[in-house]
Amino acid sequence: SQQGEEDPQALSIQEGENATMNCSYKTSINNLQWYRQNSGRGLVHLILIRSNEREKHSGRLRVTLDTSKKSSSLLITASRAADTASYFCATDQAGTALIFGKGTTLSVSS
Amino acid sequence: DADVTQTPRNRITKTGKRIMLECSQTKGHDRMYWYRQDPGLGLQLIYYSFDVKDINKGEISDGYSVSRQAQAKFSLSLESAIPNQTALYFCATSDRTAGMDTQYFGPGTRLTVL
């Protein structure tokens, strides 16, 4: 079974707006990662947040992690049409491979 | 990512045929993975290997087998392909630096089983 579950499944916004997507998971983790996938292509790593961190920034990306609620959120500020993609969270547990969620499909229209 | 290559990129085959998907990497990573992606189901882990002598089953290993021929090569085989194995297959690598596995993906192989 998949560890991470993203919400919403799909999100449509206008350019310039912020996009927020959430990830919930079931068991303890070492870290949580977010990946991006352009249509039909391989995933690309965006950002990693460790279990002892609460917030992390990278450019227009902001990730939060709440280990008590077993949840994370990815915020993309000032969205652009080029941000249109699917976004996946992945959880890292010791001794096993990353487990990916089902993803959120983001559509940014100009 | 050009450092992780997959061959073939597209393959159409018939039910019952044996198929091999190949993955090569020049990143020098010890860890390699095979995933399949179906629409709406995200990525599902098929097999993974943490080094040349280590092979582990993932969530959906039934109907698949793998071979880790060298640090740089990890092949996925479908011994007798069936239509519900039609999917997009990804290979990935990682190097557990500082206790963190950041994965690097290949471009994918689109497999159609008729």
Side-chain angles (χ1 to χ4, degrees), chain A residues 16-53:
Chain A
E17 295 179 338
N18 295 341
T20 300
M21 50 204 86
N22 305 295
C23 171
S24 60
Y25 58 92
K26 299 174 184 175
T27 61
S28 296
I29 59 173
N30 290 330
N31 63 72
L32 185 143
Q33 304 178 31
W34 286 91
Y35 288 77
R36 165 192 169 127
Q37 182 184 33
N38 287 84
S39 181
R41 298 196 169 194
L43 278 69
V44 176
H45 178 259
L46 293 176
I47 192 166
L48 178 152
I49 186 164
R50 302 183 195 215
S51 61
N52 61 355
E53 297 176 314

PDB file of all heavy atoms in Angstrom, chain A residues 16-53:
ATOM      1  N   GLY A  16       0.143  33.523 -11.343  1.00  0.00           N
ATOM      2  CA  GLY A  16       0.292  34.524 -10.295  1.00  0.00           C
ATOM      3  C   GLY A  16      -0.302  34.096  -8.962  1.00  0.00           C
ATOM      4  O   GLY A  16       0.070  34.640  -7.915  1.00  0.00           O
ATOM      5  N   GLU A  17      -1.203  33.135  -9.006  1.00  0.00           N
ATOM      6  CA  GLU A  17      -1.796  32.639  -7.753  1.00  0.00           C
ATOM      7  C   GLU A  17      -0.850  31.652  -7.084  1.00  0.00           C
ATOM      8  O   GLU A  17       0.063  31.121  -7.695  1.00  0.00           O
ATOM      9  CB  GLU A  17      -3.155  31.981  -8.031  1.00  0.00           C
ATOM     10  CG  GLU A  17      -4.203  32.933  -8.534  1.00  0.00           C
ATOM     11  CD  GLU A  17      -5.533  32.236  -8.811  1.00  0.00           C
ATOM     12  OE1 GLU A  17      -5.538  31.011  -9.007  1.00  0.00           O
ATOM     13  OE2 GLU A  17      -6.558  32.936  -8.821  1.00  0.00           O
ATOM     14  N   ASN A  18      -1.109  31.391  -5.813  1.00  0.00           N
ATOM     15  CA  ASN A  18      -0.350  30.384  -5.083  1.00  0.00           C
ATOM     16  C   ASN A  18      -1.040  29.031  -5.197  1.00  0.00           C
ATOM     17  O   ASN A  18      -2.263  28.951  -5.256  1.00  0.00           O
ATOM     18  CB  ASN A  18      -0.232  30.758  -3.611  1.00  0.00           C
ATOM     19  CG  ASN A  18       0.568  32.028  -3.405  1.00  0.00           C
ATOM     20  OD1 ASN A  18       1.327  32.450  -4.285  1.00  0.00           O
ATOM     21  ND2 ASN A  18       0.405  32.640  -2.257  1.00  0.00           N
ATOM     22  N   ALA A  19      -0.248  27.981  -5.208  1.00  0.00           N
ATOM     23  CA  ALA A  19      -0.778  26.619  -5.261  1.00  0.00           C
ATOM     24  C   ALA A  19      -0.323  25.870  -4.016  1.00  0.00           C
ATOM     25  O   ALA A  19       0.874  25.874  -3.698  1.00  0.00           O
ATOM     26  CB  ALA A  19      -0.282  25.903  -6.507  1.00  0.00           C
ATOM     27  N   THR A  20      -1.268  25.267  -3.325  1.00  0.00           N
ATOM     28  CA  THR A  20      -0.941  24.476  -2.145  1.00  0.00           C
ATOM     29  C   THR A  20      -1.431  23.051  -2.322  1.00  0.00           C
ATOM     30  O   THR A  20      -2.578  22.821  -2.694  1.00  0.00           O
ATOM     31  CB  THR A  20      -1.597  25.072  -0.882  1.00  0.00           C
ATOM     32  OG1 THR A  20      -1.123  26.398  -0.690  1.00  0.00           O
ATOM     33  CG2 THR A  20      -1.243  24.224   0.338  1.00  0.00           C
ATOM     34  N   MET A  21      -0.559  22.109  -2.076  1.00  0.00           N
ATOM     35  CA  MET A  21      -0.942  20.711  -2.118  1.00  0.00           C
ATOM     36  C   MET A  21      -0.434  20.019  -0.854  1.00  0.00           C
ATOM     37  O   MET A  21       0.581  20.430  -0.283  1.00  0.00           O
ATOM     38  CB  MET A  21      -0.429  20.026  -3.380  1.00  0.00           C
ATOM     39  CG  MET A  21       1.014  20.219  -3.692  1.00  0.00           C
ATOM     40  SD  MET A  21       1.350  20.006  -5.460  1.00  0.00           S
ATOM     41  CE  MET A  21       1.004  21.649  -6.082  1.00  0.00           C
ATOM     42  N   ASN A  22      -1.179  19.034  -0.424  1.00  0.00           N
ATOM     43  CA  ASN A  22      -0.916  18.394   0.851  1.00  0.00           C
ATOM     44  C   ASN A  22      -0.604  16.920   0.682  1.00  0.00           C
ATOM     45  O   ASN A  22      -1.001  16.283  -0.293  1.00  0.00           O
ATOM     46  CB  ASN A  22      -2.142  18.546   1.757  1.00  0.00           C
ATOM     47  CG  ASN A  22      -2.544  19.985   1.920  1.00  0.00           C
ATOM     48  OD1 ASN A  22      -1.809  20.789   2.485  1.00  0.00           O
ATOM     49  ND2 ASN A  22      -3.721  20.333   1.404  1.00  0.00           N
ATOM     50  N   CYS A  23       0.116  16.400   1.662  1.00  0.00           N
ATOM     51  CA  CYS A  23       0.495  14.993   1.649  1.00  0.00           C
ATOM     52  C   CYS A  23       0.309  14.441   3.058  1.00  0.00           C
ATOM     53  O   CYS A  23       0.781  15.050   4.025  1.00  0.00           O
ATOM     54  CB  CYS A  23       1.950  14.863   1.209  1.00  0.00           C
ATOM     55  SG  CYS A  23       2.660  13.213   1.394  1.00  0.00           S
ATOM     56  N   SER A  24      -0.378  13.334   3.170  1.00  0.00           N
ATOM     57  CA  SER A  24      -0.495  12.660   4.461  1.00  0.00           C
ATOM     58  C   SER A  24       0.169  11.296   4.352  1.00  0.00           C
ATOM     59  O   SER A  24       0.178  10.681   3.278  1.00  0.00           O
ATOM     60  CB  SER A  24      -1.967  12.514   4.861  1.00  0.00           C
ATOM     61  OG  SER A  24      -2.673  11.753   3.897  1.00  0.00           O
ATOM     62  N   TYR A  25       0.730  10.840   5.453  1.00  0.00           N
ATOM     63  CA  TYR A  25       1.412   9.553   5.447  1.00  0.00           C
ATOM     64  C   TYR A  25       1.069   8.787   6.714  1.00  0.00           C
ATOM     65  O   TYR A  25       0.426   9.318   7.619  1.00  0.00           O
ATOM     66  CB  TYR A  25       2.924   9.730   5.290  1.00  0.00           C
ATOM     67  CG  TYR A  25       3.583  10.583   6.347  1.00  0.00           C
ATOM     68  CD1 TYR A  25       4.119  10.026   7.498  1.00  0.00           C
ATOM     69  CD2 TYR A  25       3.668  11.960   6.182  1.00  0.00           C
ATOM     70  CE1 TYR A  25       4.726  10.807   8.459  1.00  0.00           C
ATOM     71  CE2 TYR A  25       4.272  12.753   7.138  1.00  0.00           C
ATOM     72  CZ  TYR A  25       4.794  12.175   8.275  1.00  0.00           C
ATOM     73  OH  TYR A  25       5.395  12.970   9.227  1.00  0.00           O
ATOM     74  N   LYS A  26       1.504   7.524   6.773  1.00  0.00           N
ATOM     75  CA  LYS A  26       0.973   6.653   7.814  1.00  0.00           C
ATOM     76  C   LYS A  26       1.952   6.321   8.930  1.00  0.00           C
ATOM     77  O   LYS A  26       1.547   6.157  10.079  1.00  0.00           O
ATOM     78  CB  LYS A  26       0.486   5.343   7.174  1.00  0.00           C
ATOM     79  CG  LYS A  26      -0.634   5.535   6.156  1.00  0.00           C
ATOM     80  CD  LYS A  26      -0.964   4.239   5.447  1.00  0.00           C
ATOM     81  CE  LYS A  26      -2.010   4.459   4.371  1.00  0.00           C
ATOM     82  NZ  LYS A  26      -2.270   3.222   3.572  1.00  0.00           N
ATOM     83  N   THR A  27       3.232   6.189   8.599  1.00  0.00           N
ATOM     84  CA  THR A  27       4.178   5.719   9.617  1.00  0.00           C
ATOM     85  C   THR A  27       5.323   6.699   9.783  1.00  0.00           C
ATOM     86  O   THR A  27       5.470   7.646   9.002  1.00  0.00           O
ATOM     87  CB  THR A  27       4.729   4.334   9.242  1.00  0.00           C
ATOM     88  OG1 THR A  27       5.409   4.445   7.993  1.00  0.00           O
ATOM     89  CG2 THR A  27       3.607   3.319   9.123  1.00  0.00           C
ATOM     90  N   SER A  28       6.153   6.470  10.769  1.00  0.00           N
ATOM     91  CA  SER A  28       7.281   7.361  11.045  1.00  0.00           C
ATOM     92  C   SER A  28       8.241   7.410   9.864  1.00  0.00           C
ATOM     93  O   SER A  28       8.437   6.410   9.171  1.00  0.00           O
ATOM     94  CB  SER A  28       8.029   6.878  12.290  1.00  0.00           C
ATOM     95  OG  SER A  28       7.196   6.955  13.415  1.00  0.00           O
ATOM     96  N   ILE A  29       8.825   8.566   9.663  1.00  0.00           N
ATOM     97  CA  ILE A  29       9.700   8.764   8.506  1.00  0.00           C
ATOM     98  C   ILE A  29      11.011   9.402   8.921  1.00  0.00           C
ATOM     99  O   ILE A  29      11.101  10.038   9.977  1.00  0.00           O
ATOM    100  CB  ILE A  29       9.020   9.652   7.443  1.00  0.00           C
ATOM    101  CG1 ILE A  29       8.672  11.026   8.041  1.00  0.00           C
ATOM    102  CG2 ILE A  29       7.790   8.964   6.866  1.00  0.00           C
ATOM    103  CD1 ILE A  29       8.158  12.011   7.007  1.00  0.00           C
ATOM    104  N   ASN A  30      12.028   9.231   8.078  1.00  0.00           N
ATOM    105  CA  ASN A  30      13.288   9.947   8.256  1.00  0.00           C
ATOM    106  C   ASN A  30      13.220  11.324   7.603  1.00  0.00           C
ATOM    107  O   ASN A  30      13.744  12.302   8.121  1.00  0.00           O
ATOM    108  CB  ASN A  30      14.448   9.166   7.628  1.00  0.00           C
ATOM    109  CG  ASN A  30      14.760   7.913   8.396  1.00  0.00           C
ATOM    110  OD1 ASN A  30      14.571   7.852   9.618  1.00  0.00           O
ATOM    111  ND2 ASN A  30      15.223   6.892   7.696  1.00  0.00           N
ATOM    112  N   ASN A  31      12.619  11.355   6.438  1.00  0.00           N
ATOM    113  CA  ASN A  31      12.433  12.613   5.737  1.00  0.00           C
ATOM    114  C   ASN A  31      11.300  12.458   4.737  1.00  0.00           C
ATOM    115  O   ASN A  31      10.823  11.343   4.478  1.00  0.00           O
ATOM    116  CB  ASN A  31      13.719  13.075   5.041  1.00  0.00           C
ATOM    117  CG  ASN A  31      14.184  12.106   3.965  1.00  0.00           C
ATOM    118  OD1 ASN A  31      13.576  12.009   2.910  1.00  0.00           O
ATOM    119  ND2 ASN A  31      15.283  11.398   4.238  1.00  0.00           N
ATOM    120  N   LEU A  32      10.854  13.570   4.200  1.00  0.00           N
ATOM    121  CA  LEU A  32       9.804  13.570   3.190  1.00  0.00           C
ATOM    122  C   LEU A  32      10.299  14.412   2.022  1.00  0.00           C
ATOM    123  O   LEU A  32      10.906  15.465   2.230  1.00  0.00           O
ATOM    124  CB  LEU A  32       8.507  14.136   3.765  1.00  0.00           C
ATOM    125  CG  LEU A  32       7.267  14.083   2.856  1.00  0.00           C
ATOM    126  CD1 LEU A  32       6.023  13.773   3.679  1.00  0.00           C
ATOM    127  CD2 LEU A  32       7.110  15.358   2.067  1.00  0.00           C
ATOM    128  N   GLN A  33      10.043  13.940   0.824  1.00  0.00           N
ATOM    129  CA  GLN A  33      10.541  14.627  -0.361  1.00  0.00           C
ATOM    130  C   GLN A  33       9.378  14.937  -1.300  1.00  0.00           C
ATOM    131  O   GLN A  33       8.376  14.227  -1.323  1.00  0.00           O
ATOM    132  CB  GLN A  33      11.556  13.738  -1.086  1.00  0.00           C
ATOM    133  CG  GLN A  33      12.712  13.306  -0.194  1.00  0.00           C
ATOM    134  CD  GLN A  33      13.693  12.401  -0.891  1.00  0.00           C
ATOM    135  OE1 GLN A  33      13.902  12.490  -2.092  1.00  0.00           O
ATOM    136  NE2 GLN A  33      14.326  11.515  -0.118  1.00  0.00           N
ATOM    137  N   TRP A  34       9.549  15.979  -2.068  1.00  0.00           N
ATOM    138  CA  TRP A  34       8.597  16.331  -3.120  1.00  0.00           C
ATOM    139  C   TRP A  34       9.287  16.250  -4.476  1.00  0.00           C
ATOM    140  O   TRP A  34      10.433  16.706  -4.636  1.00  0.00           O
ATOM    141  CB  TRP A  34       8.028  17.728  -2.887  1.00  0.00           C
ATOM    142  CG  TRP A  34       7.040  17.790  -1.766  1.00  0.00           C
ATOM    143  CD1 TRP A  34       7.294  18.045  -0.452  1.00  0.00           C
ATOM    144  CD2 TRP A  34       5.622  17.608  -1.867  1.00  0.00           C
ATOM    145  NE1 TRP A  34       6.136  18.020   0.275  1.00  0.00           N
ATOM    146  CE2 TRP A  34       5.083  17.764  -0.565  1.00  0.00           C
ATOM    147  CE3 TRP A  34       4.733  17.338  -2.916  1.00  0.00           C
ATOM    148  CZ2 TRP A  34       3.709  17.650  -0.287  1.00  0.00           C
ATOM    149  CZ3 TRP A  34       3.383  17.226  -2.650  1.00  0.00           C
ATOM    150  CH2 TRP A  34       2.886  17.380  -1.354  1.00  0.00           C
ATOM    151  N   TYR A  35       8.552  15.688  -5.430  1.00  0.00           N
ATOM    152  CA  TYR A  35       9.048  15.525  -6.791  1.00  0.00           C
ATOM    153  C   TYR A  35       8.030  16.120  -7.763  1.00  0.00           C
ATOM    154  O   TYR A  35       6.830  16.172  -7.479  1.00  0.00           O
ATOM    155  CB  TYR A  35       9.257  14.048  -7.139  1.00  0.00           C
ATOM    156  CG  TYR A  35      10.437  13.406  -6.459  1.00  0.00           C
ATOM    157  CD1 TYR A  35      10.366  13.027  -5.120  1.00  0.00           C
ATOM    158  CD2 TYR A  35      11.628  13.178  -7.153  1.00  0.00           C
ATOM    159  CE1 TYR A  35      11.452  12.435  -4.487  1.00  0.00           C
ATOM    160  CE2 TYR A  35      12.718  12.580  -6.525  1.00  0.00           C
ATOM    161  CZ  TYR A  35      12.620  12.212  -5.204  1.00  0.00           C
ATOM    162  OH  TYR A  35      13.697  11.634  -4.576  1.00  0.00           O
ATOM    163  N   ARG A  36       8.531  16.480  -8.910  1.00  0.00           N
ATOM    164  CA  ARG A  36       7.689  17.032  -9.968  1.00  0.00           C
ATOM    165  C   ARG A  36       7.829  16.146 -11.205  1.00  0.00           C
ATOM    166  O   ARG A  36       8.918  15.646 -11.506  1.00  0.00           O
ATOM    167  CB  ARG A  36       8.158  18.443 -10.277  1.00  0.00           C
ATOM    168  CG  ARG A  36       7.642  19.042 -11.569  1.00  0.00           C
ATOM    169  CD  ARG A  36       8.401  20.308 -11.900  1.00  0.00           C
ATOM    170  NE  ARG A  36       8.096  20.740 -13.260  1.00  0.00           N
ATOM    171  CZ  ARG A  36       7.678  21.957 -13.550  1.00  0.00           C
ATOM    172  NH1 ARG A  36       7.541  22.873 -12.604  1.00  0.00           N
ATOM    173  NH2 ARG A  36       7.428  22.276 -14.802  1.00  0.00           N
ATOM    174  N   GLN A  37       6.715  15.982 -11.932  1.00  0.00           N
ATOM    175  CA  GLN A  37       6.744  15.211 -13.162  1.00  0.00           C
ATOM    176  C   GLN A  37       6.016  15.976 -14.249  1.00  0.00           C
ATOM    177  O   GLN A  37       4.814  16.224 -14.139  1.00  0.00           O
ATOM    178  CB  GLN A  37       6.091  13.840 -12.980  1.00  0.00           C
ATOM    179  CG  GLN A  37       6.155  12.981 -14.242  1.00  0.00           C
ATOM    180  CD  GLN A  37       5.423  11.665 -14.107  1.00  0.00           C
ATOM    181  OE1 GLN A  37       4.419  11.565 -13.419  1.00  0.00           O
ATOM    182  NE2 GLN A  37       5.937  10.630 -14.768  1.00  0.00           N
ATOM    183  N   ASN A  38       6.735  16.327 -15.296  1.00  0.00           N
ATOM    184  CA  ASN A  38       6.094  16.857 -16.481  1.00  0.00           C
ATOM    185  C   ASN A  38       5.545  15.679 -17.271  1.00  0.00           C
ATOM    186  O   ASN A  38       6.099  14.592 -17.232  1.00  0.00           O
ATOM    187  CB  ASN A  38       7.088  17.666 -17.316  1.00  0.00           C
ATOM    188  CG  ASN A  38       7.407  18.987 -16.663  1.00  0.00           C
ATOM    189  OD1 ASN A  38       8.270  19.056 -15.801  1.00  0.00           O
ATOM    190  ND2 ASN A  38       6.708  20.029 -17.041  1.00  0.00           N
ATOM    191  N   SER A  39       4.498  15.915 -18.005  1.00  0.00           N
ATOM    192  CA  SER A  39       3.711  14.858 -18.632  1.00  0.00           C
ATOM    193  C   SER A  39       4.564  13.783 -19.294  1.00  0.00           C
ATOM    194  O   SER A  39       5.314  14.060 -20.241  1.00  0.00           O
ATOM    195  CB  SER A  39       2.765  15.477 -19.660  1.00  0.00           C
ATOM    196  OG  SER A  39       1.977  14.472 -20.262  1.00  0.00           O
ATOM    197  N   GLY A  40       4.448  12.550 -18.786  1.00  0.00           N
ATOM    198  CA  GLY A  40       5.110  11.410 -19.401  1.00  0.00           C
ATOM    199  C   GLY A  40       6.596  11.326 -19.193  1.00  0.00           C
ATOM    200  O   GLY A  40       7.246  10.431 -19.737  1.00  0.00           O
ATOM    201  N   ARG A  41       7.161  12.217 -18.409  1.00  0.00           N
ATOM    202  CA  ARG A  41       8.609  12.228 -18.199  1.00  0.00           C
ATOM    203  C   ARG A  41       8.975  11.702 -16.815  1.00  0.00           C
ATOM    204  O   ARG A  41       8.125  11.469 -15.974  1.00  0.00           O
ATOM    205  CB  ARG A  41       9.143  13.645 -18.368  1.00  0.00           C
ATOM    206  CG  ARG A  41       8.915  14.186 -19.768  1.00  0.00           C
ATOM    207  CD  ARG A  41       9.758  15.382 -20.016  1.00  0.00           C
ATOM    208  NE  ARG A  41       9.756  15.753 -21.434  1.00  0.00           N
ATOM    209  CZ  ARG A  41      10.608  16.587 -21.964  1.00  0.00           C
ATOM    210  NH1 ARG A  41      11.550  17.153 -21.223  1.00  0.00           N
ATOM    211  NH2 ARG A  41      10.539  16.890 -23.246  1.00  0.00           N
ATOM    212  N   GLY A  42      10.260  11.509 -16.608  1.00  0.00           N
ATOM    213  CA  GLY A  42      10.739  11.058 -15.313  1.00  0.00           C
ATOM    214  C   GLY A  42      10.570  12.123 -14.244  1.00  0.00           C
ATOM    215  O   GLY A  42      10.515  13.310 -14.531  1.00  0.00           O
ATOM    216  N   LEU A  43      10.464  11.673 -12.997  1.00  0.00           N
ATOM    217  CA  LEU A  43      10.292  12.615 -11.895  1.00  0.00           C
ATOM    218  C   LEU A  43      11.599  13.346 -11.614  1.00  0.00           C
ATOM    219  O   LEU A  43      12.691  12.799 -11.787  1.00  0.00           O
ATOM    220  CB  LEU A  43       9.850  11.871 -10.637  1.00  0.00           C
ATOM    221  CG  LEU A  43       8.369  11.542 -10.528  1.00  0.00           C
ATOM    222  CD1 LEU A  43       7.954  10.493 -11.543  1.00  0.00           C
ATOM    223  CD2 LEU A  43       8.046  11.071  -9.111  1.00  0.00           C
ATOM    224  N   VAL A  44      11.442  14.569 -11.128  1.00  0.00           N
ATOM    225  CA  VAL A  44      12.589  15.395 -10.775  1.00  0.00           C
ATOM    226  C   VAL A  44      12.439  15.829  -9.324  1.00  0.00           C
ATOM    227  O   VAL A  44      11.382  16.321  -8.917  1.00  0.00           O
ATOM    228  CB  VAL A  44      12.683  16.635 -11.684  1.00  0.00           C
ATOM    229  CG1 VAL A  44      13.827  17.541 -11.233  1.00  0.00           C
ATOM    230  CG2 VAL A  44      12.891  16.207 -13.135  1.00  0.00           C
ATOM    231  N   HIS A  45      13.503  15.650  -8.564  1.00  0.00           N
ATOM    232  CA  HIS A  45      13.473  16.012  -7.148  1.00  0.00           C
ATOM    233  C   HIS A  45      13.390  17.525  -6.976  1.00  0.00           C
ATOM    234  O   HIS A  45      14.107  18.280  -7.645  1.00  0.00           O
ATOM    235  CB  HIS A  45      14.741  15.487  -6.466  1.00  0.00           C
ATOM    236  CG  HIS A  45      14.839  15.834  -5.023  1.00  0.00           C
ATOM    237  ND1 HIS A  45      15.625  16.860  -4.560  1.00  0.00           N
ATOM    238  CD2 HIS A  45      14.234  15.293  -3.933  1.00  0.00           C
ATOM    239  CE1 HIS A  45      15.507  16.930  -3.249  1.00  0.00           C
ATOM    240  NE2 HIS A  45      14.676  15.989  -2.848  1.00  0.00           N
ATOM    241  N   LEU A  46      12.491  17.972  -6.080  1.00  0.00           N
ATOM    242  CA  LEU A  46      12.335  19.396  -5.820  1.00  0.00           C
ATOM    243  C   LEU A  46      12.945  19.808  -4.489  1.00  0.00           C
ATOM    244  O   LEU A  46      13.739  20.752  -4.416  1.00  0.00           O
ATOM    245  CB  LEU A  46      10.848  19.772  -5.803  1.00  0.00           C
ATOM    246  CG  LEU A  46      10.083  19.674  -7.127  1.00  0.00           C
ATOM    247  CD1 LEU A  46       8.624  19.992  -6.894  1.00  0.00           C
ATOM    248  CD2 LEU A  46      10.694  20.608  -8.163  1.00  0.00           C
ATOM    249  N   ILE A  47      12.555  19.114  -3.434  1.00  0.00           N
ATOM    250  CA  ILE A  47      12.947  19.571  -2.104  1.00  0.00           C
ATOM    251  C   ILE A  47      12.787  18.422  -1.116  1.00  0.00           C
ATOM    252  O   ILE A  47      11.930  17.551  -1.290  1.00  0.00           O
ATOM    253  CB  ILE A  47      12.098  20.800  -1.694  1.00  0.00           C
ATOM    254  CG1 ILE A  47      12.668  21.488  -0.462  1.00  0.00           C
ATOM    255  CG2 ILE A  47      10.632  20.428  -1.527  1.00  0.00           C
ATOM    256  CD1 ILE A  47      12.072  22.884  -0.226  1.00  0.00           C
ATOM    257  N   LEU A  48      13.625  18.435  -0.099  1.00  0.00           N
ATOM    258  CA  LEU A  48      13.582  17.414   0.951  1.00  0.00           C
ATOM    259  C   LEU A  48      13.479  18.106   2.294  1.00  0.00           C
ATOM    260  O   LEU A  48      14.163  19.115   2.527  1.00  0.00           O
ATOM    261  CB  LEU A  48      14.854  16.563   0.886  1.00  0.00           C
ATOM    262  CG  LEU A  48      15.088  15.451   1.918  1.00  0.00           C
ATOM    263  CD1 LEU A  48      15.960  14.358   1.317  1.00  0.00           C
ATOM    264  CD2 LEU A  48      15.715  15.971   3.200  1.00  0.00           C
ATOM    265  N   ILE A  49      12.650  17.572   3.172  1.00  0.00           N
ATOM    266  CA  ILE A  49      12.549  18.105   4.531  1.00  0.00           C
ATOM    267  C   ILE A  49      12.758  16.945   5.494  1.00  0.00           C
ATOM    268  O   ILE A  49      12.159  15.883   5.349  1.00  0.00           O
ATOM    269  CB  ILE A  49      11.202  18.838   4.753  1.00  0.00           C
ATOM    270  CG1 ILE A  49      11.193  19.500   6.129  1.00  0.00           C
ATOM    271  CG2 ILE A  49      10.009  17.916   4.559  1.00  0.00           C
ATOM    272  CD1 ILE A  49      10.091  20.547   6.285  1.00  0.00           C
ATOM    273  N   ARG A  50      13.625  17.139   6.448  1.00  0.00           N
ATOM    274  CA  ARG A  50      13.936  16.085   7.408  1.00  0.00           C
ATOM    275  C   ARG A  50      12.864  16.038   8.503  1.00  0.00           C
ATOM    276  O   ARG A  50      12.150  17.002   8.739  1.00  0.00           O
ATOM    277  CB  ARG A  50      15.300  16.330   8.049  1.00  0.00           C
ATOM    278  CG  ARG A  50      16.419  16.417   7.046  1.00  0.00           C
ATOM    279  CD  ARG A  50      17.746  16.598   7.752  1.00  0.00           C
ATOM    280  NE  ARG A  50      18.779  17.036   6.836  1.00  0.00           N
ATOM    281  CZ  ARG A  50      20.042  16.679   6.913  1.00  0.00           C
ATOM    282  NH1 ARG A  50      20.429  15.846   7.877  1.00  0.00           N
ATOM    283  NH2 ARG A  50      20.936  17.129   6.056  1.00  0.00           N
ATOM    284  N   SER A  51      12.821  14.931   9.193  1.00  0.00           N
ATOM    285  CA  SER A  51      11.772  14.745  10.201  1.00  0.00           C
ATOM    286  C   SER A  51      11.894  15.723  11.358  1.00  0.00           C
ATOM    287  O   SER A  51      10.912  15.989  12.057  1.00  0.00           O
ATOM    288  CB  SER A  51      11.791  13.309  10.724  1.00  0.00           C
ATOM    289  OG  SER A  51      13.038  13.023  11.325  1.00  0.00           O
ATOM    290  N   ASN A  52      13.095  16.292  11.585  1.00  0.00           N
ATOM    291  CA  ASN A  52      13.266  17.243  12.680  1.00  0.00           C
ATOM    292  C   ASN A  52      13.135  18.700  12.214  1.00  0.00           C
ATOM    293  O   ASN A  52      13.384  19.633  12.986  1.00  0.00           O
ATOM    294  CB  ASN A  52      14.616  17.043  13.371  1.00  0.00           C
ATOM    295  CG  ASN A  52      15.793  17.261  12.457  1.00  0.00           C
ATOM    296  OD1 ASN A  52      15.606  17.469  11.251  1.00  0.00           O
ATOM    297  ND2 ASN A  52      16.986  17.216  12.994  1.00  0.00           N
ATOM    298  N   GLU A  53      12.742  18.892  10.979  1.00  0.00           N
ATOM    299  CA  GLU A  53      12.516  20.235  10.451  1.00  0.00           C
ATOM    300  C   GLU A  53      11.019  20.490  10.326  1.00  0.00           C
ATOM    301  O   GLU A  53      10.233  19.562  10.114  1.00  0.00           O
ATOM    302  CB  GLU A  53      13.191  20.395   9.079  1.00  0.00           C
ATOM    303  CG  GLU A  53      14.706  20.253   9.132  1.00  0.00           C
ATOM    304  CD  GLU A  53      15.335  20.317   7.744  1.00  0.00           C
ATOM    305  OE1 GLU A  53      14.825  19.648   6.822  1.00  0.00           O
ATOM    306  OE2 GLU A  53      16.359  21.034   7.611  1.00  0.00           O
TER     307      GLU A  53
END
